[in-house]
Amino acid sequence: MLFEKAVARSFSIVDRALRRTFPDDYHKRCMYAAFGMQTLLSDFGHDASIQGGDAVTFMVSRFGHQAGMQGFANAQEGHAHYWVVAAGQLIDIGPHYLPRDSGYPAADVPLVCWDIAAGLPPFLRYRVIEDFGPLTGLVTTNEIHERMGSFIGQCRSKARNQVGQPKLPMWLLTSREAVERSAAQGDVWAKGALRFASMPGIEQSLPF
């Protein structure tokens, strides 16, 4: 399967599996999301590595009156966030869920599939603390291990039964050009992200 189609299909499947397995807090289950994405992309023929660390994303209110960086950082134990790297792309569903816990009604955030070679922009920041590689073993309690096995099984079952290419809830954040296209079409997040990135000295004010 072509990489772009594999990513889109994996995003759709993982999102549905998270919502079904963890209906009350699916947006906080980044470890499950990362393992699900890694498994599906690998099944579709693309080696994927899980990384752990810190991540923050630009957020803006629906009417553009409030904005700032929000995300996952400085965990007391383990890692604050987990995501996947495959084919030179940083792949993460987590930022798309950030509006759920935002302190203000936030605009929808795209799904991340960013070309790492292009460098990270001011509106998307990741700090890798640990790279687990493509053959990641889950070291945890038996309960979580069993729950993860069930979740992965559900993802694979959905992949086998899925017909056609899924329609994603948001566009893919792949490059600055993708942001510019979405901004031209009126996307609130994209317009805010470009304004944020153009602020003088913004690079020096970022957490990492």
Side-chain angles (χ1 to χ4, degrees):
M1 184 183 297
L2 292 175
F3 182 70
E4 293 80 5
K5 289 186 176 181
V7 170
R9 182 162 293 193
S10 299
F11 269 139
S12 174
I13 292 168
V14 167
D15 177 63
R16 286 186 291 134
L18 286 171
R19 291 173 186 270
R20 180 174 179 178
T21 306
F22 310 104
D24 297 326
D25 62 354
Y26 64 89
H27 56 295
K28 298 180 180 180
R29 301 288 184 164
C30 62
M31 183 176 69
Y32 289 85
F35 271 88
M37 292 296 293
Q38 181 196 46
T39 297
L40 292 176
L41 288 172
S42 297
D43 288 351
F44 293 147
H46 306 280
D47 288 340
S49 298
I50 291 178
Q51 293 184 341
D54 300 331
V56 292
T57 305
F58 172 77
M59 298 279 286
V60 62
S61 62
R62 293 171 188 166
F63 299 102
H65 298 142
Q66 293 176 274
M69 301 294 280
Q70 297 183 33
F72 325 89
N74 303 318
Q76 298 297 314
E77 185 177 344
H79 298 302
H81 193 51
Y82 297 89
W83 60 91
V84 166
V85 170
Q89 311 290 312
L90 191 159
I91 301 165
D92 189 11
I93 201 172
H96 179 62
Y97 294 148
L98 283 175
R100 280 291 307 269
D101 281 337
S102 177
Y104 49 79
D108 290 337
V109 179
L111 300 158
V112 176
C113 184
W114 187 267
D115 182 2
I116 298 173
L120 292 175
F123 47 78
L124 186 68
R125 309 301 292 183
Y126 282 77
R127 178 166 58 190
V128 181
I129 296 177
E130 189 169 3
D131 189 328
F132 297 95
L135 300 175
T136 311
L138 183 64
V139 181
T140 185
T141 65
N142 288 335
E143 180 184 357
I144 294 178
H145 195 276
E146 291 176 3
R147 191 186 302 153
M148 182 65 77
S150 176
F151 178 77
I152 294 300
Q154 185 180 160
C155 288
R156 282 177 159 157
S157 176
K158 288 182 181 296
R160 287 193 298 270
N161 296 324
Q162 191 176 61
V163 178
Q165 190 64 12
K167 182 178 180 180
L168 296 176
M170 277 292 283
W171 50 282
L172 292 181
L173 177 57
T174 56
S175 63
R176 187 181 178 91
E177 289 72 25
V179 181
E180 291 171 347
R181 285 195 301 270
S182 295
Q185 296 168 2
D187 184 87
V188 174
W189 184 89
K191 291 192 293 183
L194 291 178
R195 285 196 299 270
F196 179 76
S198 68
M199 293 173 60
I202 191 62
E203 292 279 357
Q204 287 69 43
S205 69
L206 298 172
F208 43 84

